[in-house]
Amino acid sequence: IKMMRRLCTGQHRALQDILRVQKLNRETVDLLNDVYRYMTALEPGLKKAIEAGDESIVEGAIRGWLMLADAMQGPNFDNQSSLSKTGIFDLADRIYSKIRYTAERGGPARKAVVKFKNSSIHPEERSFEVLDQVDDQRCRLKTAVTTCLSSFLEGVQDDAIPQQMIMTAQWTNIMSQMVQCYEMAIGFELLSVGTLKKDSVIQEGLGYYALMRNVSSFDDNNSIDRVLSTHKRAEAYFKARTGYVEISRNDKLERLFFRLPDNCLVGG
């Protein structure tokens, strides 16, 4: 997967395409679909792997999602179209529904104790340190999933993929993840100082917000806007930290979202 991802570095379409179809071969192998099936096989055990500290499984999943994201960026519409037919949106939903932070508000509420394999440290002595490491893995995995979903919308040529996302994805799950990031971010001074960083949590939440805002422009029924409005404070928090520009690509107007620097925020 690492090698395939490097082939996509720089969004060179010929190298991206060769992962899906090898024109000079008698038989072609869709490696993108193979990566999707690999991640589907990993998904049922991801939650336990994170809690058990099995980094190899978690890192494999993270690299898989980022590799597929790189294969679609540029954009590469053929790869976007091919992957949209695999069931990848359902796979993302299952991860969003299962992988959540230890506690929504952090701090003293994070009482779950996670046992790392082969660890000799008493649970009570390692709880906050371990929870930070576990939550860091959760954060990186979910951020990778969101990066991949956002890649489906880069340079999108028609409404087919956005409409499929609107109909397939469980946006209440995504909103729930965004709210959790908001609550973690505003209470971060209560968290133990460890692997998990406030900046990473905010970046994860911004990814959800940008994804929902991007897809909402294709939503004639305003269903995503209604989901966003269910938690005004979380929406306002990430809206204040998000900027965007509009570019013309293939005679179509496209909105690109980006994170605002802290000194551009009100009171920053």
Side-chain angles (χ1 to χ4, degrees):
I1 290 179
K2 189 174 183 180
M3 184 197 73
M4 288 190 288
R5 188 181 178 193
R6 287 182 174 178
L7 286 175
C8 299
T9 301
Q11 291 81 48
H12 190 275
R13 179 167 294 187
L15 292 177
Q16 290 174 322
D17 287 344
I18 205 171
L19 297 176
R20 187 187 72 260
V21 57
Q22 300 83 44
K23 296 181 179 179
L24 299 180
N25 289 2
R26 291 184 178 180
E27 295 184 7
T28 189
V29 178
D30 188 347
L31 295 174
L32 299 181
N33 186 61
D34 285 349
V35 172
Y36 160 73
R37 291 191 291 114
Y38 166 72
M39 295 192 305
T40 301
L42 288 182
E43 183 273 326
L46 275 177
K47 184 177 180 179
K48 288 185 177 180
I50 292 174
E51 293 173 351
D54 191 341
E55 295 184 4
S56 60
I57 293 179
V58 182
E59 287 297 329
I62 292 172
R63 288 182 179 181
W65 284 101
L66 292 177
M67 178 264 150
L68 293 182
D70 287 341
M72 291 185 285
Q73 291 172 359
N76 189 312
F77 181 72
D78 291 331
N79 285 351
Q80 290 172 334
S81 178
S82 176
L83 284 168
S84 69
K85 300 171 184 176
T86 60
I88 195 169
F89 301 135
D90 288 327
L91 178 59
D93 273 335
R94 293 199 296 274
I95 291 177
Y96 286 143
S97 65
K98 294 178 182 178
I99 308 300
R100 296 182 179 274
Y101 288 116
T102 307
E104 290 187 359
R105 295 189 180 276
R110 301 167 76 203
K111 295 180 179 178
V113 174
V114 182
K115 295 182 179 180
F116 272 176
K117 59 183 180 181
N118 301 324
S119 176
S120 59
I121 306 175
H122 195 271
E124 284 74 13
E125 296 176 357
R126 66 169 185 258
S127 57
F128 281 110
E129 178 184 356
V130 171
L131 289 176
D132 273 346
Q133 294 177 18
V134 169
D135 278 345
D136 179 64
Q137 288 188 333
R138 291 183 175 118
C139 179
R140 292 176 57 236
L141 174 61
K142 292 184 291 180
T143 300
V145 174
T146 308
T147 300
C148 184
L149 294 184
S150 297
S151 297
F152 280 99
L153 301 173
E154 183 177 335
V156 64
Q157 297 184 11
D158 55 46
D159 292 352
I161 292 178
Q163 288 299 327
Q164 183 182 356
M165 293 181 71
I166 291 170
M167 297 297 294
T168 305
Q170 298 295 321
W171 296 101
T172 52
N173 275 343
I174 296 175
M175 184 64 188
S176 176
Q177 291 284 358
M178 192 181 91
V179 170
Q180 198 173 52
C181 289
Y182 162 73
E183 293 178 338
M184 290 279 283
I186 62 173
F188 209 86
E189 64 275 6
L190 299 175
L191 297 179
S192 57
V193 179
T195 309
L196 183 66
K197 304 297 182 184
K198 180 178 180 179
D199 186 75
S200 300
V201 174
I202 293 176
Q203 191 64 43
E204 179 192 343
L206 288 170
Y208 299 132
Y209 178 77
L211 176 65
M212 297 179 79
R213 295 307 312 170
N214 209 347
V215 177
S216 67
S217 61
F218 299 91
D219 181 16
D220 296 333
N221 296 322
N222 298 320
S223 58
I224 295 178
D225 285 338
R226 288 195 295 272
V227 172
L228 274 170
S229 66
T230 58
H231 200 295
K232 294 288 188 181
R233 290 184 178 180
E235 180 187 12
Y237 182 87
F238 291 112
K239 181 179 180 180
R241 288 160 174 77
T242 302
Y244 70 89
V245 295
E246 292 180 336
I247 65 171
S248 177
R249 188 182 343 226
N250 297 326
D251 297 325
K252 290 189 176 183
L253 200 62
E254 182 178 348
R255 185 173 292 185
L256 302 179
F257 293 88
F258 59 91
R259 180 177 180 176
L260 292 173
D262 289 342
N263 56 6
C264 291
L265 304 179
V266 176

